[in-house]
Amino acid sequence: MYKVVEKRDLAPGIHLLEIEAPMIAQRAKAGQFIMLMIDDKGERIPLTMADWNPKKGTVTIIALEAGKTTMKLGTVKKGDELRSIVGPLGIETHTQDLGTVACVGGGIGIALMYPTVRAMKQAGNKVLSIMGARTKDLLILEKEITEYSDEVHICTDDGSKGHHGFVSDILKKMLDEKRPIDVVYAVGPIIMMKVIADLTRSYGVKTIVSLNPIMVDGTGMCGSCRVNIDGKTKFGCVDGPDFDGHKVDFQLLIARNKRYLAEEKTAVEKFKKEVA
Amino acid sequence: MAEETPAPKKERVKKKYPMPEQDPKERIHNFNEVPLGQDAETVIKEAERCLQCKRSEKRKICVDGCPVGIDIPAFIRKVKEGDFEGGIKIIKQYNALPAVCGRVCPYENQCEGYCVVGKLKENQPVGIGRMERFLADWEREKGMAKPELPPRKGKKVAVVGAGPAGLTVASDLAKRGYDVTIFEALHAPGGVLIYGIPEFRLPKAIVWAEVEYIRSLGVKLVFDAVVGKTIKMQEIAQEFDAIFVGTGAGLPKWMNIPGENLNGILSANEFLTRTNLMKSYMFPEFDTPNRIGMRVATIGGGNVAMDCARTALRLGAEESWIIYRRSDAELPARREEVHHAKEEGVKFQLLTAPVKYTGDETGYVKKMECCKMRLGEPDASGRCRPIVCEGENFVLDVDIVNIAIGQSPNPIVPQTTPELKTTRWGTIVVDEWQRTSMKGVFAAGDIATGDATVILAMGGGKKAAEGIDRYLSQNEPWPAKEVFDKISSH
C-alpha cells in the first residue's frame, strides 16, 4: 500500500497527490511514468510523474479529471492508501548536449513538462518554456517552471493571461524569427502535439513528443499501448513514452485512445451516482 | 480347517471414472470452473485402477512423465487406503502447487501418457491429474496445516517473478531453510496463473490459497517491483546470496499484417489480462473495461487461443472462432481444451490464416481477410508446413480479434542486465543446473525455454532450486563465460 502524504487541488479538476513510494523516488528520471491503481477494483492507469523526492521517498503526480479513476483520485484524502504504484516505467527523456530546447506544454501536459524542463536545464541546455491552458486558473506550476527556464511564454485559449491563442502560435513566431532552437519537446493533448509536430516539420526542427496511449500492465506485456512510429509498431510503455514527433501516426493514436469511450461513460455515470 | 478360497478376481474398470462438469449451455454464461471435481468414494475407486507399477530401466511409468518427479504410485497407494492426508503430503514433497497442476497440467502427455494401464487394450490411463486435484482441494477445504520448517541457513535468495517457476523455487528453497524474497512486477502473485489462465479453468481463489501456503513457509513477497526498472539486478545481487530469474514469456507476438493495430484487435495477453487479472468481466463493478465483441476471432491453436475463444463466449459473443493455419490434428492445445471449446460452441476455422484487417471510420476492426492453407511436408518442428492456397481468400466479419500466436521472453531483465547472456530468441542461456552467465544468478521457466507450460516452468524451477542449494552449500566455481557462449551457439 502506498500512503498519500499530500493532496491538493491545483485548479478545478486538477489534483496533486504526493505519495510514499521510496523505491520509485530513488530512481525516477524526467519523462518516466508510473502505473497507479487506487483499490482492489480499480484499473491500472499510467501517469507521468510531475515530481519526486528521493530523500522523502515520495513521488508526485498531477492528474486531470478525465475518466472515473482520475475523478476518484480527486476524492482521495491525505493519509489514504493506494493499492498499487509501479515504476519508474518507460525510457527517460534524453537531455544531454541538446543546446537550446523549446519545451511546450499544454493543459495537464504542463505538469508532465516540469521535470523535463528541470532536467533539461540541469543538463546545461538553454530552456525556452511555452505553457498554455484553456484559461488562467488552469495554468499550473508557473513558478516552478520559471525557476528552471531561461524564458517562459504563456498563453491561454480565452486570453485571460499571456498571449490569447495557442502554444503553437508562440513557437511559430520563434521559428519565424529564426531563433536558434535545436530541439522541441512537446507534451499535452494529442492534437496539440500533432499541431506542434506538423509545424516543426516544415522548419526541420527535431521534435520529441511524450505519448499517452491506453495501458494495462505498463511493462510491455499486453500491447494495449501500441503506437505506429515510422511505419513500425512500438509499445508506448517500454519503447516510449518519448518518440520522434515527426514519425508518429497521430491519427492512429487518436483512434486508439477512443477505444473505451462508451465504457468510460458508463463508469463515470456510475461513479457520479455513488458519490451523490 | 476350512480351505481358503481365493477372492473373486475383480473385473478391471477400463475407463476413468467420469469427472462431473458444468453443462456447456449453462457454463458459457458464467466464469465458474467447468470440471466440478469428484467425491472421495470415486477417487478411491479410481485409485484402485492403478497397478502400482515399479519403475525400472526397462519400463517407463507415470513418474517418468512428471516434470517435477512426483512419486505417483506412492500417493495413489495412500488414496486407495483412504489416507488423503498421507497422499497430499507425498505430492507436496515434490510440488508446491498441486491444486493448480491438478487442473492445468497436460497429464495426457505426461504422467497419464506413461501410465501402463492406459497402454492396455481398450483402457484409459488412471486419472492421476484428477486425483491430484482432489487431494489438493480436500486439503485446502479442511484448512492447510502449517508446515514444519528446518532451521534457517542464514542465506538469502531473491526470486524475480511470482509465476509458476518462481513460486516453485521459493517453496523448495524455503523448505530447505533459505530466506526467500520474491519480487513481482504486478500487484498480485501468480504470473500467468492469474493474468493468463481464466477463472473457469483455474479459479483465482485456488491460486491465492497456494500462494498463502508458500507464504506460510516464510517466503516474503514484494509486489509492484519491476526488476530492471524499480530495482536493478545488480542491486539485488548485493543484498542476496543468489538470484533466480523466472520472468516468463510476457511479450506478445504479432503477425505484422496490414490493419493489425486497428481498435478491437488485441494480443491474447491484453484480452486475458483485462478479463482475468483486472476482472473486466465484472465491469463496471470493477473499473477495467473490455469491449464485448459479438463476432470474435482468435488467431492461434494453443491453450491460450482456447482460453480467449471460450472467454469471448462468456463475455457475450454470439460467435467465437478459432482461426488456425494447420488442421485439427496439429492443434497445439490440450485435447481437453479443444473438446471443451467445441462443446461450448467455439467454431474452428482450420487451415486458415488472416492476411489483412479493415476497419470502419472510428478505427474499429470490421473485416478480416483470410487465406486458405493446405499442409505440405513436415518442417523442422516435425509438423506439416502450412502452404497458402492462392486465389482462395475470403472475408469474415469480425469486431474483436485476439492474437494468440505465442509470446516472446520478457525483455526487461536481460535488457537491463548486460551480464546475462541471451539467445537470439531472447531467452536467457542456462546450463544443466539452470545457472546463467552472471555469477549467482539462475533462470528457468519461459524466460529460459521460450513459451511452454506451467508444469515445465515448475520442473525448471525445481532444478534451479537444486542448483541454488548446491551453489550455496558447496564451494564450486561458477562456469566460465565460454561455457554459455558454447550453449547458446548450439
Side-chain angles (χ1 to χ4, degrees), chain B residues 192-224:
Chain B
V192 72
L193 306 176
I194 58 155
Y195 74 74
I197 303 178
E199 181 77 17
F200 56 83
R201 213 147 70 74
L202 178 61
K204 299 310 144 211
I206 285 168
V207 181
W208 305 144
E210 307 239 59
V211 170
E212 272 318 304
Y213 169 73
I214 289 168
R215 258 196 234 253
S216 74
L217 301 171
V219 172
K220 288 193 226 43
L221 278 147
V222 179
F223 297 110
D224 305 325

PDB file of all heavy atoms in Angstrom, chain B residues 192-224:
ATOM      1  N   VAL B 192       1.320 -15.987 -14.863  1.00  0.00           N
ATOM      2  CA  VAL B 192       0.338 -16.407 -15.862  1.00  0.00           C
ATOM      3  C   VAL B 192      -0.879 -17.085 -15.223  1.00  0.00           C
ATOM      4  O   VAL B 192      -1.969 -17.092 -15.793  1.00  0.00           O
ATOM      5  CB  VAL B 192       1.000 -17.335 -16.912  1.00  0.00           C
ATOM      6  CG1 VAL B 192       1.311 -18.707 -16.308  1.00  0.00           C
ATOM      7  CG2 VAL B 192       0.140 -17.478 -18.157  1.00  0.00           C
ATOM      8  N   LEU B 193      -0.714 -17.604 -14.010  1.00  0.00           N
ATOM      9  CA  LEU B 193      -1.842 -18.267 -13.343  1.00  0.00           C
ATOM     10  C   LEU B 193      -2.950 -17.272 -13.037  1.00  0.00           C
ATOM     11  O   LEU B 193      -4.119 -17.658 -12.934  1.00  0.00           O
ATOM     12  CB  LEU B 193      -1.388 -18.929 -12.034  1.00  0.00           C
ATOM     13  CG  LEU B 193      -0.205 -19.901 -12.115  1.00  0.00           C
ATOM     14  CD1 LEU B 193       0.167 -20.392 -10.720  1.00  0.00           C
ATOM     15  CD2 LEU B 193      -0.553 -21.091 -13.010  1.00  0.00           C
ATOM     16  N   ILE B 194      -2.588 -15.988 -12.870  1.00  0.00           N
ATOM     17  CA  ILE B 194      -3.664 -15.024 -12.594  1.00  0.00           C
ATOM     18  C   ILE B 194      -3.954 -14.079 -13.747  1.00  0.00           C
ATOM     19  O   ILE B 194      -5.084 -13.671 -13.917  1.00  0.00           O
ATOM     20  CB  ILE B 194      -3.466 -14.189 -11.311  1.00  0.00           C
ATOM     21  CG1 ILE B 194      -2.176 -13.417 -11.363  1.00  0.00           C
ATOM     22  CG2 ILE B 194      -3.614 -15.007 -10.067  1.00  0.00           C
ATOM     23  CD1 ILE B 194      -2.253 -12.203 -10.472  1.00  0.00           C
ATOM     24  N   TYR B 195      -2.940 -13.734 -14.551  1.00  0.00           N
ATOM     25  CA  TYR B 195      -3.293 -12.822 -15.646  1.00  0.00           C
ATOM     26  C   TYR B 195      -3.732 -13.586 -16.886  1.00  0.00           C
ATOM     27  O   TYR B 195      -4.480 -13.076 -17.703  1.00  0.00           O
ATOM     28  CB  TYR B 195      -2.159 -11.827 -15.953  1.00  0.00           C
ATOM     29  CG  TYR B 195      -0.951 -12.374 -16.688  1.00  0.00           C
ATOM     30  CD1 TYR B 195      -1.020 -12.670 -18.054  1.00  0.00           C
ATOM     31  CD2 TYR B 195       0.246 -12.587 -16.037  1.00  0.00           C
ATOM     32  CE1 TYR B 195       0.087 -13.186 -18.720  1.00  0.00           C
ATOM     33  CE2 TYR B 195       1.354 -13.092 -16.703  1.00  0.00           C
ATOM     34  CZ  TYR B 195       1.261 -13.394 -18.046  1.00  0.00           C
ATOM     35  OH  TYR B 195       2.341 -13.897 -18.699  1.00  0.00           O
ATOM     36  N   GLY B 196      -3.250 -14.838 -17.021  1.00  0.00           N
ATOM     37  CA  GLY B 196      -3.488 -15.559 -18.268  1.00  0.00           C
ATOM     38  C   GLY B 196      -4.606 -16.577 -18.222  1.00  0.00           C
ATOM     39  O   GLY B 196      -5.554 -16.503 -18.994  1.00  0.00           O
ATOM     40  N   ILE B 197      -4.485 -17.536 -17.304  1.00  0.00           N
ATOM     41  CA  ILE B 197      -5.439 -18.657 -17.305  1.00  0.00           C
ATOM     42  C   ILE B 197      -6.774 -18.193 -16.720  1.00  0.00           C
ATOM     43  O   ILE B 197      -6.812 -17.643 -15.626  1.00  0.00           O
ATOM     44  CB  ILE B 197      -4.869 -19.846 -16.515  1.00  0.00           C
ATOM     45  CG1 ILE B 197      -3.517 -20.260 -17.133  1.00  0.00           C
ATOM     46  CG2 ILE B 197      -5.842 -21.022 -16.515  1.00  0.00           C
ATOM     47  CD1 ILE B 197      -2.824 -21.398 -16.410  1.00  0.00           C
ATOM     48  N   PRO B 198      -7.873 -18.413 -17.450  1.00  0.00           N
ATOM     49  CA  PRO B 198      -9.167 -17.888 -16.981  1.00  0.00           C
ATOM     50  C   PRO B 198      -9.700 -18.578 -15.726  1.00  0.00           C
ATOM     51  O   PRO B 198      -9.357 -19.719 -15.438  1.00  0.00           O
ATOM     52  CB  PRO B 198     -10.111 -18.155 -18.154  1.00  0.00           C
ATOM     53  CG  PRO B 198      -9.245 -18.441 -19.322  1.00  0.00           C
ATOM     54  CD  PRO B 198      -7.974 -19.007 -18.787  1.00  0.00           C
ATOM     55  N   GLU B 199     -10.528 -17.838 -15.047  1.00  0.00           N
ATOM     56  CA  GLU B 199     -11.208 -18.299 -13.835  1.00  0.00           C
ATOM     57  C   GLU B 199     -11.909 -19.649 -14.037  1.00  0.00           C
ATOM     58  O   GLU B 199     -11.886 -20.507 -13.170  1.00  0.00           O
ATOM     59  CB  GLU B 199     -12.229 -17.221 -13.428  1.00  0.00           C
ATOM     60  CG  GLU B 199     -13.039 -17.493 -12.183  1.00  0.00           C
ATOM     61  CD  GLU B 199     -12.281 -17.256 -10.881  1.00  0.00           C
ATOM     62  OE1 GLU B 199     -11.235 -16.580 -10.902  1.00  0.00           O
ATOM     63  OE2 GLU B 199     -12.740 -17.768  -9.850  1.00  0.00           O
ATOM     64  N   PHE B 200     -12.518 -19.855 -15.216  1.00  0.00           N
ATOM     65  CA  PHE B 200     -13.295 -21.085 -15.408  1.00  0.00           C
ATOM     66  C   PHE B 200     -12.397 -22.318 -15.574  1.00  0.00           C
ATOM     67  O   PHE B 200     -12.861 -23.445 -15.568  1.00  0.00           O
ATOM     68  CB  PHE B 200     -14.277 -20.956 -16.591  1.00  0.00           C
ATOM     69  CG  PHE B 200     -13.637 -20.589 -17.913  1.00  0.00           C
ATOM     70  CD1 PHE B 200     -13.056 -21.556 -18.707  1.00  0.00           C
ATOM     71  CD2 PHE B 200     -13.636 -19.271 -18.354  1.00  0.00           C
ATOM     72  CE1 PHE B 200     -12.476 -21.227 -19.927  1.00  0.00           C
ATOM     73  CE2 PHE B 200     -13.053 -18.924 -19.572  1.00  0.00           C
ATOM     74  CZ  PHE B 200     -12.478 -19.904 -20.358  1.00  0.00           C
ATOM     75  N   ARG B 201     -11.102 -22.079 -15.737  1.00  0.00           N
ATOM     76  CA  ARG B 201     -10.163 -23.193 -15.833  1.00  0.00           C
ATOM     77  C   ARG B 201      -9.331 -23.301 -14.553  1.00  0.00           C
ATOM     78  O   ARG B 201      -8.896 -24.375 -14.174  1.00  0.00           O
ATOM     79  CB  ARG B 201      -9.241 -22.974 -17.036  1.00  0.00           C
ATOM     80  CG  ARG B 201      -8.815 -24.238 -17.699  1.00  0.00           C
ATOM     81  CD  ARG B 201      -8.625 -24.069 -19.177  1.00  0.00           C
ATOM     82  NE  ARG B 201      -7.489 -23.269 -19.582  1.00  0.00           N
ATOM     83  CZ  ARG B 201      -6.214 -23.675 -19.522  1.00  0.00           C
ATOM     84  NH1 ARG B 201      -5.916 -24.855 -19.032  1.00  0.00           N
ATOM     85  NH2 ARG B 201      -5.244 -22.892 -19.951  1.00  0.00           N
ATOM     86  N   LEU B 202      -9.107 -22.167 -13.920  1.00  0.00           N
ATOM     87  CA  LEU B 202      -8.314 -22.152 -12.691  1.00  0.00           C
ATOM     88  C   LEU B 202      -8.825 -21.018 -11.800  1.00  0.00           C
ATOM     89  O   LEU B 202      -8.415 -19.879 -11.955  1.00  0.00           O
ATOM     90  CB  LEU B 202      -6.830 -21.915 -13.035  1.00  0.00           C
ATOM     91  CG  LEU B 202      -5.878 -21.832 -11.854  1.00  0.00           C
ATOM     92  CD1 LEU B 202      -5.870 -23.125 -11.065  1.00  0.00           C
ATOM     93  CD2 LEU B 202      -4.477 -21.484 -12.326  1.00  0.00           C
ATOM     94  N   PRO B 203      -9.737 -21.346 -10.878  1.00  0.00           N
ATOM     95  CA  PRO B 203     -10.282 -20.289 -10.012  1.00  0.00           C
ATOM     96  C   PRO B 203      -9.156 -19.580  -9.248  1.00  0.00           C
ATOM     97  O   PRO B 203      -8.250 -20.226  -8.743  1.00  0.00           O
ATOM     98  CB  PRO B 203     -11.203 -21.054  -9.051  1.00  0.00           C
ATOM     99  CG  PRO B 203     -11.556 -22.303  -9.793  1.00  0.00           C
ATOM    100  CD  PRO B 203     -10.351 -22.655 -10.604  1.00  0.00           C
ATOM    101  N   LYS B 204      -9.235 -18.251  -9.230  1.00  0.00           N
ATOM    102  CA  LYS B 204      -8.147 -17.480  -8.631  1.00  0.00           C
ATOM    103  C   LYS B 204      -8.021 -17.733  -7.132  1.00  0.00           C
ATOM    104  O   LYS B 204      -6.922 -17.639  -6.580  1.00  0.00           O
ATOM    105  CB  LYS B 204      -8.321 -15.979  -8.898  1.00  0.00           C
ATOM    106  CG  LYS B 204      -8.317 -15.623 -10.385  1.00  0.00           C
ATOM    107  CD  LYS B 204      -7.145 -16.211 -11.150  1.00  0.00           C
ATOM    108  CE  LYS B 204      -7.593 -16.594 -12.544  1.00  0.00           C
ATOM    109  NZ  LYS B 204      -6.901 -17.737 -13.123  1.00  0.00           N
ATOM    110  N   ALA B 205      -9.130 -18.079  -6.472  1.00  0.00           N
ATOM    111  CA  ALA B 205      -9.070 -18.360  -5.036  1.00  0.00           C
ATOM    112  C   ALA B 205      -8.098 -19.506  -4.764  1.00  0.00           C
ATOM    113  O   ALA B 205      -7.456 -19.558  -3.713  1.00  0.00           O
ATOM    114  CB  ALA B 205     -10.468 -18.704  -4.519  1.00  0.00           C
ATOM    115  N   ILE B 206      -8.005 -20.416  -5.724  1.00  0.00           N
ATOM    116  CA  ILE B 206      -7.087 -21.552  -5.563  1.00  0.00           C
ATOM    117  C   ILE B 206      -5.644 -21.078  -5.652  1.00  0.00           C
ATOM    118  O   ILE B 206      -4.787 -21.510  -4.889  1.00  0.00           O
ATOM    119  CB  ILE B 206      -7.422 -22.620  -6.627  1.00  0.00           C
ATOM    120  CG1 ILE B 206      -8.705 -23.322  -6.194  1.00  0.00           C
ATOM    121  CG2 ILE B 206      -6.279 -23.606  -6.816  1.00  0.00           C
ATOM    122  CD1 ILE B 206      -9.308 -24.179  -7.238  1.00  0.00           C
ATOM    123  N   VAL B 207      -5.406 -20.162  -6.588  1.00  0.00           N
ATOM    124  CA  VAL B 207      -4.050 -19.613  -6.701  1.00  0.00           C
ATOM    125  C   VAL B 207      -3.685 -18.884  -5.405  1.00  0.00           C
ATOM    126  O   VAL B 207      -2.600 -19.078  -4.853  1.00  0.00           O
ATOM    127  CB  VAL B 207      -3.932 -18.661  -7.908  1.00  0.00           C
ATOM    128  CG1 VAL B 207      -2.509 -18.124  -8.023  1.00  0.00           C
ATOM    129  CG2 VAL B 207      -4.334 -19.363  -9.193  1.00  0.00           C
ATOM    130  N   TRP B 208      -4.618 -18.066  -4.891  1.00  0.00           N
ATOM    131  CA  TRP B 208      -4.329 -17.324  -3.639  1.00  0.00           C
ATOM    132  C   TRP B 208      -3.971 -18.303  -2.526  1.00  0.00           C
ATOM    133  O   TRP B 208      -3.049 -18.088  -1.758  1.00  0.00           O
ATOM    134  CB  TRP B 208      -5.520 -16.483  -3.147  1.00  0.00           C
ATOM    135  CG  TRP B 208      -6.105 -15.494  -4.096  1.00  0.00           C
ATOM    136  CD1 TRP B 208      -7.427 -15.172  -4.206  1.00  0.00           C
ATOM    137  CD2 TRP B 208      -5.434 -14.666  -5.052  1.00  0.00           C
ATOM    138  NE1 TRP B 208      -7.603 -14.220  -5.189  1.00  0.00           N
ATOM    139  CE2 TRP B 208      -6.406 -13.894  -5.717  1.00  0.00           C
ATOM    140  CE3 TRP B 208      -4.104 -14.519  -5.431  1.00  0.00           C
ATOM    141  CZ2 TRP B 208      -6.088 -12.987  -6.724  1.00  0.00           C
ATOM    142  CZ3 TRP B 208      -3.786 -13.624  -6.436  1.00  0.00           C
ATOM    143  CH2 TRP B 208      -4.770 -12.871  -7.053  1.00  0.00           C
ATOM    144  N   ALA B 209      -4.770 -19.388  -2.440  1.00  0.00           N
ATOM    145  CA  ALA B 209      -4.548 -20.345  -1.345  1.00  0.00           C
ATOM    146  C   ALA B 209      -3.170 -20.982  -1.475  1.00  0.00           C
ATOM    147  O   ALA B 209      -2.462 -21.160  -0.479  1.00  0.00           O
ATOM    148  CB  ALA B 209      -5.638 -21.413  -1.355  1.00  0.00           C
ATOM    149  N   GLU B 210      -2.776 -21.323  -2.696  1.00  0.00           N
ATOM    150  CA  GLU B 210      -1.464 -21.963  -2.856  1.00  0.00           C
ATOM    151  C   GLU B 210      -0.350 -20.962  -2.540  1.00  0.00           C
ATOM    152  O   GLU B 210       0.676 -21.319  -1.978  1.00  0.00           O
ATOM    153  CB  GLU B 210      -1.318 -22.560  -4.263  1.00  0.00           C
ATOM    154  CG  GLU B 210      -2.487 -23.502  -4.625  1.00  0.00           C
ATOM    155  CD  GLU B 210      -2.107 -24.938  -4.958  1.00  0.00           C
ATOM    156  OE1 GLU B 210      -1.518 -25.582  -4.103  1.00  0.00           O
ATOM    157  OE2 GLU B 210      -2.432 -25.415  -6.056  1.00  0.00           O
ATOM    158  N   VAL B 211      -0.572 -19.699  -2.908  1.00  0.00           N
ATOM    159  CA  VAL B 211       0.429 -18.684  -2.597  1.00  0.00           C
ATOM    160  C   VAL B 211       0.500 -18.470  -1.079  1.00  0.00           C
ATOM    161  O   VAL B 211       1.587 -18.308  -0.517  1.00  0.00           O
ATOM    162  CB  VAL B 211       0.125 -17.358  -3.333  1.00  0.00           C
ATOM    163  CG1 VAL B 211       1.021 -16.235  -2.819  1.00  0.00           C
ATOM    164  CG2 VAL B 211       0.308 -17.518  -4.839  1.00  0.00           C
ATOM    165  N   GLU B 212      -0.649 -18.529  -0.427  1.00  0.00           N
ATOM    166  CA  GLU B 212      -0.673 -18.396   1.035  1.00  0.00           C
ATOM    167  C   GLU B 212       0.167 -19.493   1.690  1.00  0.00           C
ATOM    168  O   GLU B 212       0.873 -19.268   2.660  1.00  0.00           O
ATOM    169  CB  GLU B 212      -2.111 -18.444   1.582  1.00  0.00           C
ATOM    170  CG  GLU B 212      -2.797 -17.089   1.623  1.00  0.00           C
ATOM    171  CD  GLU B 212      -1.883 -15.971   2.126  1.00  0.00           C
ATOM    172  OE1 GLU B 212      -1.339 -16.095   3.241  1.00  0.00           O
ATOM    173  OE2 GLU B 212      -1.684 -14.965   1.393  1.00  0.00           O
ATOM    174  N   TYR B 213       0.039 -20.709   1.132  1.00  0.00           N
ATOM    175  CA  TYR B 213       0.830 -21.830   1.654  1.00  0.00           C
ATOM    176  C   TYR B 213       2.322 -21.510   1.538  1.00  0.00           C
ATOM    177  O   TYR B 213       3.086 -21.709   2.477  1.00  0.00           O
ATOM    178  CB  TYR B 213       0.485 -23.117   0.889  1.00  0.00           C
ATOM    179  CG  TYR B 213       1.430 -24.253   1.172  1.00  0.00           C
ATOM    180  CD1 TYR B 213       1.395 -24.927   2.397  1.00  0.00           C
ATOM    181  CD2 TYR B 213       2.381 -24.637   0.233  1.00  0.00           C
ATOM    182  CE1 TYR B 213       2.286 -25.954   2.671  1.00  0.00           C
ATOM    183  CE2 TYR B 213       3.285 -25.661   0.496  1.00  0.00           C
ATOM    184  CZ  TYR B 213       3.235 -26.313   1.717  1.00  0.00           C
ATOM    185  OH  TYR B 213       4.114 -27.328   1.977  1.00  0.00           O
ATOM    186  N   ILE B 214       2.708 -20.963   0.381  1.00  0.00           N
ATOM    187  CA  ILE B 214       4.120 -20.649   0.164  1.00  0.00           C
ATOM    188  C   ILE B 214       4.564 -19.538   1.113  1.00  0.00           C
ATOM    189  O   ILE B 214       5.666 -19.561   1.653  1.00  0.00           O
ATOM    190  CB  ILE B 214       4.358 -20.308  -1.326  1.00  0.00           C
ATOM    191  CG1 ILE B 214       4.222 -21.605  -2.133  1.00  0.00           C
ATOM    192  CG2 ILE B 214       5.714 -19.655  -1.555  1.00  0.00           C
ATOM    193  CD1 ILE B 214       4.150 -21.424  -3.621  1.00  0.00           C
ATOM    194  N   ARG B 215       3.670 -18.601   1.377  1.00  0.00           N
ATOM    195  CA  ARG B 215       3.968 -17.557   2.362  1.00  0.00           C
ATOM    196  C   ARG B 215       4.156 -18.168   3.753  1.00  0.00           C
ATOM    197  O   ARG B 215       4.986 -17.710   4.529  1.00  0.00           O
ATOM    198  CB  ARG B 215       2.792 -16.589   2.447  1.00  0.00           C
ATOM    199  CG  ARG B 215       2.987 -15.289   1.709  1.00  0.00           C
ATOM    200  CD  ARG B 215       1.938 -14.356   2.229  1.00  0.00           C
ATOM    201  NE  ARG B 215       1.139 -13.787   1.146  1.00  0.00           N
ATOM    202  CZ  ARG B 215       1.282 -12.520   0.765  1.00  0.00           C
ATOM    203  NH1 ARG B 215       2.144 -11.739   1.343  1.00  0.00           N
ATOM    204  NH2 ARG B 215       0.516 -12.048  -0.189  1.00  0.00           N
ATOM    205  N   SER B 216       3.347 -19.202   4.048  1.00  0.00           N
ATOM    206  CA  SER B 216       3.437 -19.810   5.373  1.00  0.00           C
ATOM    207  C   SER B 216       4.783 -20.509   5.570  1.00  0.00           C
ATOM    208  O   SER B 216       5.162 -20.854   6.688  1.00  0.00           O
ATOM    209  CB  SER B 216       2.277 -20.789   5.607  1.00  0.00           C
ATOM    210  OG  SER B 216       2.498 -21.982   4.864  1.00  0.00           O
ATOM    211  N   LEU B 217       5.509 -20.721   4.470  1.00  0.00           N
ATOM    212  CA  LEU B 217       6.856 -21.284   4.570  1.00  0.00           C
ATOM    213  C   LEU B 217       7.871 -20.199   4.890  1.00  0.00           C
ATOM    214  O   LEU B 217       9.064 -20.452   4.959  1.00  0.00           O
ATOM    215  CB  LEU B 217       7.250 -21.956   3.249  1.00  0.00           C
ATOM    216  CG  LEU B 217       6.371 -23.102   2.739  1.00  0.00           C
ATOM    217  CD1 LEU B 217       6.776 -23.498   1.326  1.00  0.00           C
ATOM    218  CD2 LEU B 217       6.484 -24.299   3.660  1.00  0.00           C
ATOM    219  N   GLY B 218       7.374 -18.972   5.037  1.00  0.00           N
ATOM    220  CA  GLY B 218       8.270 -17.861   5.387  1.00  0.00           C
ATOM    221  C   GLY B 218       8.731 -17.039   4.200  1.00  0.00           C
ATOM    222  O   GLY B 218       9.573 -16.153   4.340  1.00  0.00           O
ATOM    223  N   VAL B 219       8.189 -17.334   3.021  1.00  0.00           N
ATOM    224  CA  VAL B 219       8.593 -16.594   1.817  1.00  0.00           C
ATOM    225  C   VAL B 219       7.982 -15.194   1.846  1.00  0.00           C
ATOM    226  O   VAL B 219       6.795 -15.035   2.131  1.00  0.00           O
ATOM    227  CB  VAL B 219       8.141 -17.344   0.547  1.00  0.00           C
ATOM    228  CG1 VAL B 219       8.382 -16.510  -0.701  1.00  0.00           C
ATOM    229  CG2 VAL B 219       8.851 -18.694   0.449  1.00  0.00           C
ATOM    230  N   LYS B 220       8.821 -14.176   1.566  1.00  0.00           N
ATOM    231  CA  LYS B 220       8.309 -12.800   1.509  1.00  0.00           C
ATOM    232  C   LYS B 220       7.979 -12.431   0.063  1.00  0.00           C
ATOM    233  O   LYS B 220       8.674 -12.852  -0.862  1.00  0.00           O
ATOM    234  CB  LYS B 220       9.369 -11.825   2.022  1.00  0.00           C
ATOM    235  CG  LYS B 220       9.595 -11.883   3.520  1.00  0.00           C
ATOM    236  CD  LYS B 220      10.405 -10.663   3.923  1.00  0.00           C
ATOM    237  CE  LYS B 220      11.558 -10.895   4.842  1.00  0.00           C
ATOM    238  NZ  LYS B 220      12.498 -11.918   4.781  1.00  0.00           N
ATOM    239  N   LEU B 221       6.931 -11.641  -0.100  1.00  0.00           N
ATOM    240  CA  LEU B 221       6.547 -11.200  -1.443  1.00  0.00           C
ATOM    241  C   LEU B 221       6.589  -9.685  -1.516  1.00  0.00           C
ATOM    242  O   LEU B 221       6.008  -9.004  -0.675  1.00  0.00           O
ATOM    243  CB  LEU B 221       5.141 -11.689  -1.764  1.00  0.00           C
ATOM    244  CG  LEU B 221       5.049 -13.131  -2.256  1.00  0.00           C
ATOM    245  CD1 LEU B 221       3.759 -13.769  -1.810  1.00  0.00           C
ATOM    246  CD2 LEU B 221       5.154 -13.193  -3.769  1.00  0.00           C
ATOM    247  N   VAL B 222       7.301  -9.166  -2.504  1.00  0.00           N
ATOM    248  CA  VAL B 222       7.327  -7.714  -2.747  1.00  0.00           C
ATOM    249  C   VAL B 222       6.635  -7.476  -4.087  1.00  0.00           C
ATOM    250  O   VAL B 222       7.100  -7.961  -5.121  1.00  0.00           O
ATOM    251  CB  VAL B 222       8.776  -7.172  -2.814  1.00  0.00           C
ATOM    252  CG1 VAL B 222       8.781  -5.684  -3.077  1.00  0.00           C
ATOM    253  CG2 VAL B 222       9.524  -7.516  -1.538  1.00  0.00           C
ATOM    254  N   PHE B 223       5.517  -6.768  -4.055  1.00  0.00           N
ATOM    255  CA  PHE B 223       4.772  -6.517  -5.301  1.00  0.00           C
ATOM    256  C   PHE B 223       5.213  -5.196  -5.935  1.00  0.00           C
ATOM    257  O   PHE B 223       5.969  -4.426  -5.351  1.00  0.00           O
ATOM    258  CB  PHE B 223       3.267  -6.493  -5.019  1.00  0.00           C
ATOM    259  CG  PHE B 223       2.776  -7.805  -4.514  1.00  0.00           C
ATOM    260  CD1 PHE B 223       2.364  -7.964  -3.201  1.00  0.00           C
ATOM    261  CD2 PHE B 223       2.758  -8.910  -5.348  1.00  0.00           C
ATOM    262  CE1 PHE B 223       1.940  -9.194  -2.728  1.00  0.00           C
ATOM    263  CE2 PHE B 223       2.335 -10.140  -4.896  1.00  0.00           C
ATOM    264  CZ  PHE B 223       1.925 -10.286  -3.579  1.00  0.00           C
ATOM    265  N   ASP B 224       4.684  -4.932  -7.120  1.00  0.00           N
ATOM    266  CA  ASP B 224       4.939  -3.667  -7.823  1.00  0.00           C
ATOM    267  C   ASP B 224       6.430  -3.423  -8.040  1.00  0.00           C
ATOM    268  O   ASP B 224       6.862  -2.283  -8.121  1.00  0.00           O
ATOM    269  CB  ASP B 224       4.356  -2.476  -7.030  1.00  0.00           C
ATOM    270  CG  ASP B 224       2.871  -2.650  -6.734  1.00  0.00           C
ATOM    271  OD1 ASP B 224       2.166  -3.225  -7.582  1.00  0.00           O
ATOM    272  OD2 ASP B 224       2.426  -2.232  -5.643  1.00  0.00           O
TER     273      ASP B 224
END
